[in-house]
Structures are given as C-alpha cells and as structure tokens.
Amino acid sequence: MDHFTYKGGNLHAEDVSLAEIAAQVGTPFYCYSAATLTRHYRLFTEALSPLPHLVCFAIKSLSNVAVLKLLGDLGAGMDVVSIGEYLRARAAGVPGNRIVFSGVGKTRNEMHQALQGGIRQFNVESEPEMRALSDVAVSLGVRAPIAIRVNPDVDARTHEKIATGKKENKFGIPISRAREVYAEAARLPGLEVVGVDVHIGSQLTELSPFEAAFTLVRELTLQLRADGHAITRLDLGGGLGIPYTRSNEAPPLPNDYGAMVKQVLGDLGAEIEIEPGRLISGNSGVLVSQVIYVKHGEGRDFLILDAAMNDLVRPSMYGAHHDILAVREPPAGAPSQPYDVVGPVCETGDTFARARELPLFAEGDLVAFRSAGAYGAVMASEYNTRPLVPEVLVARDHFAVIRARPSYDEILKRDSIPPWL
Ligand SMILES: *Cc1c(COP(=O)(O)O)cnc(C)c1O
C-alpha cells in the first residue's frame, strides 16, 4: 500500500497534488511520501517484535538526508556501504551505534573515519579486509565490532545483477570456510566478534531462498558458539522485493518474512538486524515527468518525456518495469493506445517502456512512474548535462524540496579550465 492516489481527478501524494508540485518545482522530479516511508518501516519493526531487533535502512536505495532523518527519528538504524553514506546518516542525526557498515571494498580511510565517529558494527567481507580493520583499530587503540558476511551459496532467484549469495558472486566468505575465518578474527587484535551477517540479493519475490540462507546461518551460529564465539547479533541483510506491476505479482510481506525469521532464528536469543532498502523506499516514491512531444513513428508512437535514463536508470540497466500513470486521471472507459515511452538522451537505451498501453497523451501532460523511490534518485547522473533531478518530500498537505535542481551555472562551475590551456 502507498499514498499515491487520485483525488478529485488528479494524482496526489498524500494530500498534495503532483500537478501543483510540478507547477512550482518544474519537471522532472522525484516525490516521496512520508506516510508511506513511515508505514513501511513500521511494518518491519512490528513483524520482528517481540524479538530484540534493529531495522537498518539500506541508505543506498534512497539517500536523501531528509528521508534518513524521518526514518532515524522513528528509531531506524542505517546500513551504509561507503563513508559518504555514513556521513549522510550522521548528518541526519543517526547515532553511530545504530549504523552498520557493509560493503565489499571498505578502505582503511573509511574504517578509520567510522571508528572515530562511532559505529555499531562492520560487516566484514574478506580476510584481507578483516586484517586491515584489525590494523586500523589497533592504530586507534580501539576494538572494532564485527560480523562476518557469509556467502551461503543460495540462489536468490532474482535479476543476475542483484543476486549476491551465490559462490560466483564477489560477496562474503564461503560459509564452508566461516569457522576458520572466525577463528582468525578471534586471534586478531582490535576486533570484537559480535555476529554473523548474510545478504543474498535484492528484489526477492519468494521467502524460500531467505529461509534456506537463514537456516544455514542458524547452523553456523550454533557451531560458532560451540567454538567459543559470542554471537549476539544476526544481520540478515535486506532484499525483500516489491510489486512493480499492479497485476497479480504478490511478493511476500514483511509480516510473512518476520514470521519466518522468528521460526528459524527466534530461539537463538540473538538480536536480529535487517537491512531493507527497496521495501521501505521503493513504493514510497514516484518520478514525475512531462510529455515534451508525441511523435508518430512508423508503426509506433513515441511519448518523448523530459525525464531520461540519467534520471531513472532501472529500465535501461535492469530491463525493469515501472508502471506509468497519467497525473490527470483518465475518465473511466477513456481510449488508450500503445506508446514507446522514451527520454531525450542520445541513446536507444534511453527507453522506459515499449508498446505500453496508456491513455492518450498530448504535449504538456504529466506522467508519474510508480515504485521509483528505491534505486531512482540515488542512481541519477548528469549525463547529457541534464541537471540532477530534484527531490520533494510530502507529508500530509505540505511538501518541501529536499534537494533542489542545480542551475546550469552551478553545473558549469564544477569544471575548471587549467591556467595552461
Ligand atoms: C543493497 C543491500 C541491501 C538492501 O537491499 P534491498 O533489496 O534494497 O532491500 C541491504 N544490505 C546490503 C549489504 C546491500 O548490499
């Protein structure tokens, strides 16, 4: 469920008309609903209660500091994959002891800054990384809390670019070698083993791969405890998928996920950490764009929008589907036709949808891409010198620009011509 609905013939975010935002902010823009973000975060905390737990929002899915503040104020922790994301979490007022540092290539510099600033735990992904962290912690005279990310070799049955739990993926330590690596962790100075971490991929639409992975984590935890390690936290990663079409696609809900977690891991007395990104942010956002031209091609009509692949890359990068809605509600029984929906960028890859059946559009009409809150704005670029797409946050009947569109002056000022040219 989300808070993007037609009211009085116009698509609204909560109680704000998207057309009104477009009039003030210009297009394209991302718009997020505070109520949906809040609701999705709460679904997870409710699903895991009464187990001790921390829901760490995966910042990489949607990293605007205003959104992080909203979730952080509700009590959310944060999952970061770079020191830049760490600094965003801190700027949003999230304390270090609620920030988990994930990622396969943390640098010593990043470790140093996070240890100094305060961190809940590092999710370590390799032995060289573990040794580097040990060095950095010793040099600072502190102990770094760690969980080791294990790779369970489980097929997440999702898009190949976002599957992370198979042995051929770059992530984590093979679960078969985990005991050995934990033994080294216990010997290394400057490290404090606190947990086990796993994350098998993104946009999972079934519970069974999670269940298979968590069952292996359970067995490993019992072995590690028998080996003398204090495993007090289990970080289960993120990855729960969302429906991108409004047809019969029905991925499991946080409640089903929570019930399964309790069943598999609930008796271990460990604190459960999860790192959902997409399920919290995905359906909390839309991308609003304007039709520049309707172009009649040979055998097809093109809807040329002012949004492009640089603003929302998922369709061209992953072949992803986003539902497209007319911002002005089409009357019941209104005619429709197939359109190829494209942006103005000079690449054929700049295509959002082919032969999509949509209501009839004319120049100047507004469209909204649904489910664009996750991996939307964060993956945007200024390719073709198109200004970085702005972001707007709505709460009830008010909205605020939470990242402004840069001016062309600002864009040009970032380049400098060396004096010898
Ligand atoms: C990407 C990622 C997540 C979030 O994944 P979603 O599919 O957005 O829930 C969580 N943890 C780690 C380590 C990740 O890399």
Side-chain angles (χ1 to χ4, degrees):
M1 197 206 115
D2 61 45
H3 294 79
F4 298 95
T5 51
Y6 289 109
K7 293 180 183 172
N10 281 297
L11 192 60
H12 280 59
E14 304 188 26
D15 295 328
V16 182
S17 150
L18 290 173
E20 201 174 304
I21 301 175
Q24 289 191 40
V25 176
T27 51
F29 65 90
Y30 278 95
C31 178
Y32 311 120
S33 154
T36 313
L37 289 161
T38 302
R39 182 184 130 82
H40 289 168
Y41 166 73
R42 292 216 168 113
L43 286 178
F44 275 114
T45 56
E46 283 159 18
L48 291 175
S49 294
L51 292 182
H53 66 271
L54 184 66
V55 175
C56 296
F57 177 59
I59 293 188
K60 76 171 195 268
S61 72
L62 171 53
S63 64
N64 191 291
V65 173
V67 170
L68 305 185
K69 170 140 177 41
L70 181 138
L71 292 171
D73 286 356
L74 295 171
M78 300 285 154
D79 172 55
V80 306
V81 293
S82 70
I83 200 68
E85 287 190 350
Y86 175 88
L87 294 172
R88 282 182 178 275
R90 296 308 305 264
V94 179
N97 64 14
R98 278 198 259 141
I99 304 176
V100 168
F101 203 148
S102 299
V104 73
K106 301 173 209 70
T107 65
R108 285 169 188 256
N109 211 332
E110 289 180 310
M111 294 168 179
H112 186 107
Q113 279 193 64
L115 277 172
Q116 275 197 323
I119 192 84
R120 177 180 177 84
Q121 103 206 8
F122 291 90
N123 289 339
V124 171
E125 298 225 14
S126 68
E127 289 146 294
E129 184 197 3
M130 185 169 84
R131 291 168 200 143
L133 182 59
S134 161
D135 283 353
V136 175
V138 167
S139 77
L140 286 169
V142 298
R143 290 182 83 197
I146 66 162
I148 294 177
R149 178 169 177 178
V150 294
N151 184 326
D153 193 22
V154 164
D155 184 355
R157 293 202 280 278
T158 182
H159 191 285
E160 57 166 327
K161 286 189 188 168
I162 49 174
T164 59
K166 287 286 286 176
K167 60 177 185 291
E168 60 268 30
N169 303 133
K170 67 182 173 183
F171 299 96
I173 281 165
I175 199 163
S176 55
R177 294 198 39 241
R179 287 174 78 186
E180 203 186 305
V181 178
Y182 272 90
E184 183 181 353
R187 284 194 304 270
L188 283 171
L191 300 182
E192 183 194 357
V193 171
V194 296
V196 177
D197 171 44
V198 71
H199 170 74
I200 58 172
S202 199
Q203 186 52 19
L204 272 73
T205 53
E206 304 163 80
L207 280 185
S208 50
F210 286 120
E211 192 171 350
F214 299 168
T215 303
L216 292 170
V217 165
R218 174 192 176 81
E219 288 162 14
L220 176 65
T221 300
L222 295 173
Q223 279 178 342
L224 292 174
R225 284 179 173 171
D227 292 345
H229 303 284
I231 304 296
T232 58
R233 298 178 188 162
L234 300 177
D235 184 334
L236 306 179
L240 203 53
I242 61 169
Y244 277 97
T245 61
R246 311 193 94 191
S247 51
N248 48 8
E249 197 187 349
L253 298 171
N255 211 32
D256 310 321
Y257 174 90
M260 181 272 289
V261 167
K262 286 178 202 166
Q263 199 195 338
V264 179
L265 302 167
D267 64 334
L268 292 179
E271 182 172 7
I272 302 293
E273 298 166 334
I274 56 170
E275 305 166 347
R278 191 187 311 263
L279 200 135
I280 291 179
S281 53
N283 284 328
S284 301
V286 295
L287 171 65
V288 177
S289 176
Q290 191 170 38
V291 176
I292 310 177
Y293 298 116
V294 182
K295 176 172 164 176
H296 300 292
E298 235 173 283
R300 64 188 65 221
D301 286 345
F302 294 97
L303 214 50
I304 303 179
L305 304 181
D306 67 358
M309 63 188 288
N310 69 296
D311 304 306
L312 175 65
V313 79
R314 298 190 67 259
S316 68
M317 185 148 155
Y318 308 115
H321 171 103
H322 284 269
D323 276 352
I324 299 171
L325 299 181
V327 168
R328 185 191 299 275
E329 186 174 20
S336 66
Q337 71 153 88
Y339 287 105
D340 279 15
V341 185
V342 303
V345 162
C346 307
E347 285 200 27
T348 302
D350 187 22
T351 299
F352 291 116
R354 286 189 197 283
R356 181 76 63 87
E357 195 68 25
L358 293 171
L360 303 188
F361 281 108
E363 277 181 41
D365 285 347
L366 296 173
V367 305
F369 289 86
R370 294 182 66 89
S371 313
Y375 308 103
V378 286
M379 294 179 107
S381 76
E382 289 187 337
Y383 186 39
N384 279 211
T385 309
R386 297 168 42 83
L388 203 58
V389 57
E391 295 172 281
V392 171
L393 181 64
V394 167
R396 297 179 304 277
D397 60 354
H398 51 275
F399 75 90
V401 174
I402 55 173
R403 189 173 67 199
R405 193 188 315 276
S407 70
Y408 289 105
D409 267 356
E410 287 166 319
I411 292 176
L412 292 181
K413 268 200 205 116
R414 283 188 227 135
D415 294 7
S416 52
I417 299 175
W420 40 264
L421 261 191

